Amino acid sequence: MAIRLGSTVINCTDLETMTRFWCAALGLEPASEADDFRLLRGPHVNLSLQRSSVSARDQMHLDLYTDDQEHEVDRLIGLGARFVRHVDDDPADDWVVLADPEDNLFCVCAKPAEEVRDPGARAGAGPAA
């Protein structure tokens, strides 16, 4: 059982401009090309961009990866987090939205143990190069 910061998610209105900027700034590569979400991967960090029209508050949130989502959600709620919603309509993309004690949202994402231990690993792809 492990938990780690999987990705910081930045809400933005222009995915293409933000993708170019953060890839150049941090040496990342786009790992997805969806119209409303972009995962940027690097050897030691992930950064995600999410199309949004939110106000200045909530421009970023944390994605925490774990191979034991239920345990970690319970543990975090025990520490003072508040349950917001569970999004599990896609078996490959399951996350629970929680709010911290000051009501900042973050996600607890179900990820296989190899991805939790190694940010470069992909499910079924073996160890990262």
Side-chain angles (χ1 to χ4, degrees):
M1 174 174 44
I3 191 167
R4 72 169 185 82
L5 178 60
S7 184
T8 298
V9 181
I10 301 174
N11 291 334
C12 60
T13 56
D14 186 339
L15 279 177
E16 298 308 319
T17 298
M18 292 289 280
T19 296
R20 284 191 302 275
F21 174 80
W22 284 111
C23 283
L26 298 176
L28 305 174
E29 294 291 328
S32 68
E33 295 292 330
D35 291 339
D36 60 351
F37 186 84
R38 192 74 41 88
L39 172 62
L40 310 177
R41 286 191 182 265
H44 303 289
V45 68
N46 293 330
L47 178 69
S48 298
L49 306 174
Q50 177 174 277
R51 186 181 309 277
S52 179
S53 58
V54 233
S55 65
R57 179 150 167 85
D58 295 328
Q59 288 300 310
M60 292 187 193
H61 72 267
L62 301 178
D63 281 354
L64 303 178
Y65 290 3
T66 180
D67 61 341
D68 191 349
Q69 183 186 55
E70 183 177 357
H71 170 80
E72 291 298 339
V73 166
D74 289 344
R75 184 179 73 83
L76 293 163
I77 288 172
L79 292 172
R82 178 178 57 82
F83 177 84
V84 176
R85 70 182 171 278
H86 187 180
V87 181
D88 63 350
D89 51 349
D90 177 354
D93 200 15
D94 179 347
W95 72 92
V96 175
V97 180
L98 299 177
D100 72 12
E102 291 192 0
D103 225 26
N104 298 297
L105 301 181
F106 64 98
C107 298
V108 180
C109 307
K111 294 289 181 182
E114 60 273 6
E115 285 188 54
V116 172
R117 286 189 299 274
D118 180 356
R122 311 284 193 292

